[in-house]
Amino acid sequence: MKTLFPPYAHPSPGLPLDNETWIVRDLPGERRTLHQSLGRIDLDWGSRSLADVLADVEAWRADGAEGLFLDRAPAGSGGVGPVALTVRLAARRGLHRVVLNPGVPTHPLYRDLGVRICTFEGPWSAYQSWDGEGVRPGDGHIVHGVPVALLTAARRLMGRRGAGFGLATDASPYPWVSAAASAGGAGSEGS
């Protein structure tokens, strides 16, 4: 059985893209493809000012991104308010696809925001022994540092663990830089 999950990847000239792939872009104005894109906003674990985050939302709206990738998001209950405000403003600005990336399971209140959540981000060595406590089927998994020979196995493991989307890559420590490794999506055959 072939299972495909939409991967998230940094734009790269060598990255083969399909209709299910969403590109995560670091800066407005760097668009190199007409592919679906999410603008990356670094929440710095909730320590960035709300004014700066909202200015980033406006910049991505003006750039034409289809949604946002809220990276290094807080996971505890104290960060829900500012994240919820960011999500609401994004929706009002036409940025309806939002991915929240705390890289760990979140407080249950985040589930009420109606966004996709990445509940694992880390190295292959940690993912292999990860127990998945606190995650739900459909959550995202971002696994970096996977040996090239094990990329297909990593994607299959993501599928068995219920990942709804994600990225398995040989790059370390940030997965946004590998081109060939993210091709094909999590759980896909022949990648």
Side-chain angles (χ1 to χ4, degrees), residues 51-123:
D52 288 345
V53 170
L54 298 181
D56 286 351
V57 170
E58 280 301 318
W60 283 115
R61 182 206 56 80
D63 181 73
E66 290 84 5
L68 300 174
F69 187 85
L70 303 178
D71 202 11
R72 299 193 323 151
S77 62
V80 173
V83 170
L85 185 59
T86 302
V87 169
R88 281 196 304 272
L89 178 67
R92 287 187 193 134
R93 299 295 188 258
L95 301 166
H96 297 289
R97 177 169 284 230
V98 175
V99 176
L100 186 66
N101 182 30
V104 297
T106 61
H107 188 279
L109 288 172
Y110 286 94
R111 300 290 178 175
D112 296 336
L113 299 179
V115 300
R116 292 178 150 218
I117 300 174
C118 288
T119 53
F120 180 89
E121 180 176 1

Side-chain angles (χ1 to χ4, degrees), residues 3-5 7 16 18 21 155 182-189 191:
T3 309
L4 295 174
F5 301 110
D18 60 28
T21 303
R155 291 185 186 109
S182 59
S188 65
E189 302 280 329
S191 45

